[in-house]
Amino acid sequence: ALNLKPNGSGIDLSWPSQPDRLFTLFSSEDLRNWNPVPEVEKMPGGAGETTIEVSPAEGTPRLFWKIKPSLPMER
């Protein structure tokens, strides 16, 4: 589950995390077209909960967010 919490300058997004997973955050303005957020693309997970701050661009009417876990590629 992705949790959102406004802070003074943006939004804190948090989710349950695991050290053996990579996480990619996606955003959408219409729930049809999803784009990865470059700063959170294949981000390594940690123990417990991961929290990041995002700052939507001014003038964006609304944004939807989703997080997708994946397994790292084995070498």
Side-chain angles (χ1 to χ4, degrees):
L2 187 60
N3 298 306
L4 290 86
K5 181 181 175 188
N7 66 30
S9 60
I11 301 169
D12 287 334
L13 300 176
S14 60
W15 62 90
S17 186
Q18 290 180 286
D20 61 345
R21 298 285 188 270
L22 300 175
F23 293 88
T24 299
L25 180 67
F26 294 87
S27 67
S28 172
E29 293 183 19
D30 60 13
L31 292 173
R32 283 177 279 197
N33 301 300
W34 291 92
N35 298 302
V37 175
E39 298 83 21
V40 190
E41 195 167 358
K42 296 186 179 179
M43 184 174 116
E49 188 173 85
T50 297
T51 301
I52 60 146
E53 180 180 345
V54 294
S55 298
E58 271 192 56
T60 304
R62 63 179 171 206
L63 277 177
F64 301 92
W65 307 92
K66 69 179 179 179
I67 191 81
K68 180 181 176 190
S70 62
L71 291 171
M73 301 272 298
E74 292 187 42
R75 293 181 188 223

